């Protein structure tokens, strides 16, 4: 209605990524494997032993998360007192330690084993380096301007249900010192 161009009745659906296709299947397989392994261990030892193992994993995971959170908060506090940014050397270790604690808290033996692996410092360093390289590679492969364009686009919902897509135009220049009138409050 605004440009005179007809709106498509059936817009083309974007192709679904492999991750979105196989993640639910992998998650279901992981849950089935966890339950099967718990029943096998309960049959070999006893149900009480499995219960105590799960409770011990939950308690250990909560202690690990609390310790890593305190260490991350302490690093942030020290960096703010110095007036600089937090050191990147301890931040990835804290994040992976929190992930390991979370995996320990999730009931299951496989998640406990992976959580315990993430608590080993050489494994943390190797995964941290791999994640950093992957993030840098993905950042270099990204088309320039896409993130900025995503922030510059706006959508307006019309009363008849149609969505009008537009672009935000910022008129304030960095060197513009002229006073602007106050903007009215946003109300719905």
């Amino acid at each position: 209605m605004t440009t005179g161009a007809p709106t498509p009745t059936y817009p083309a659906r974007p192709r679904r990524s492999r991750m979105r296709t196989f993640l639910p299947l992998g998650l279901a397989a992981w849950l089935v494997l966890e339950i099967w392994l718990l029943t096998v261990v309960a049959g070999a030892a006893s149900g009480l032993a499995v219960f105590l193992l799960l409770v011990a994993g939950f308690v250990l995971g909560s202690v690990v998360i609390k310790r890593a959170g305190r260490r991350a908060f302490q690093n942030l506090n020290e960096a703010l007192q110095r007036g600089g940014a937090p050191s990147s050397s301890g931040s990835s270790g804290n994040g992976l330690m929190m992930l390991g604690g979370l995996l320990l808290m999730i009931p299951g033996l496989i998640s406990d084993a992976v959580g315990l692996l993430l608590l080993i410092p050489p494994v943390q360093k190797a995964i941290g380096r791999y994640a950093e390289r992957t993030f840098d590679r993905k950042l270099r492969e990204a088309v320039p301007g896409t993130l900025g364009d995503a922030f510059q686009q706006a959508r307006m919902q019309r009363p008849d249900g149609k969505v009008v897509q537009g672009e935000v135009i910022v008129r304030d220049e960095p060197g513009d010192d002229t006073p602007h009138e106050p903007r009215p409050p946003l109300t719905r």
Side-chain angles (χ1 to χ4, degrees), residues 43-107:
S46 69
L48 180 64
V50 170
F51 177 73
L52 291 176
L53 189 65
L54 293 177
V55 168
F58 187 83
V59 169
L60 179 65
S62 63
V63 168
V64 166
I65 287 177
K66 186 176 180 180
R67 182 175 172 219
R70 280 188 179 169
R71 190 171 11 160
F73 185 74
Q74 186 178 19
N75 289 344
L76 179 65
N77 196 14
E78 289 173 1
L80 289 176
Q81 286 178 355
R82 280 193 320 256
S87 64
S88 62
S89 62
S91 61
S92 64
N94 288 332
L96 289 173
M97 190 173 276
M98 285 184 186
L99 179 63
L102 180 67
L103 286 172
L104 282 171
M105 290 177 74
I106 294 174

Side-chain angles (χ1 to χ4, degrees), residues 17 69 83 95 119 133 138 168 179 181:
S17 68
L119 297 181
R133 281 194 314 259
K138 293 283 186 182
V168 176
E181 63 274 352

Side-chain angles (χ1 to χ4, degrees), residues 13 20-21 52 57 61-62 104 107 120 135 176 178 183 186:
R13 292 176 64 188
R20 284 187 62 192
T21 303
L52 291 176
S62 63
L104 282 171
I120 301 171
F135 181 72
D176 188 17
T178 59
R183 297 182 177 149
L186 295 174

Side-chain angles (χ1 to χ4, degrees), residues 11 25 39 43 56 65 67 89 102 111-112 131 141 144 147 154 156 169-170 174 184:
L25 294 173
T39 57
I65 287 177
R67 182 175 172 219
S89 62
L102 180 67
S111 62
D112 288 349
E141 290 174 359
L147 186 60
M156 184 177 87
I169 299 173
V170 179

Side-chain angles (χ1 to χ4, degrees), residues 137-149:
R137 187 185 77 233
K138 293 283 186 182
L139 201 58
R140 275 183 269 132
E141 290 174 359
V143 178
T146 55
L147 186 60
D149 292 341

